[in-house]
Amino acid sequence: MQQDKERQVKTPGRNGFTYRELFGIIVLCDNARQQESFYNKLKSEGYRVKVVAV
């Protein structure tokens, strides 16, 4: 059963896109300064970090 799941993930769809499951969290910050502080701290600890503003 595990092999079937792996095969499905690696098989591209009609549009050629290959889905790869990812996991993440969102940290809500009070302001840009706090966002920058969290970003720098997590980055220095080796995490892959993305900045978003909404």
Side-chain angles (χ1 to χ4, degrees):
M1 179 120 185
Q2 181 67 21
Q3 290 175 344
D4 289 338
K5 185 176 181 182
E6 288 176 10
R7 191 178 312 118
Q8 288 175 350
V9 171
K10 294 179 183 178
T11 304
R14 288 183 191 169
N15 64 358
F17 180 78
T18 302
Y19 178 77
R20 186 171 59 110
E21 190 172 52
L22 298 173
F23 299 93
I25 62 167
I26 296 175
V27 178
L28 301 178
C29 302
D30 294 329
N31 53 49
R33 179 176 282 150
Q34 186 182 46
Q35 182 187 43
E36 183 178 6
S37 176
F38 276 121
Y39 174 88
N40 291 332
K41 179 173 176 37
L42 293 170
K43 189 78 172 170
S44 72
E45 292 178 7
Y47 291 97
R48 288 186 347 188
V49 185
K50 293 185 178 186
V51 175
V52 296
V54 294

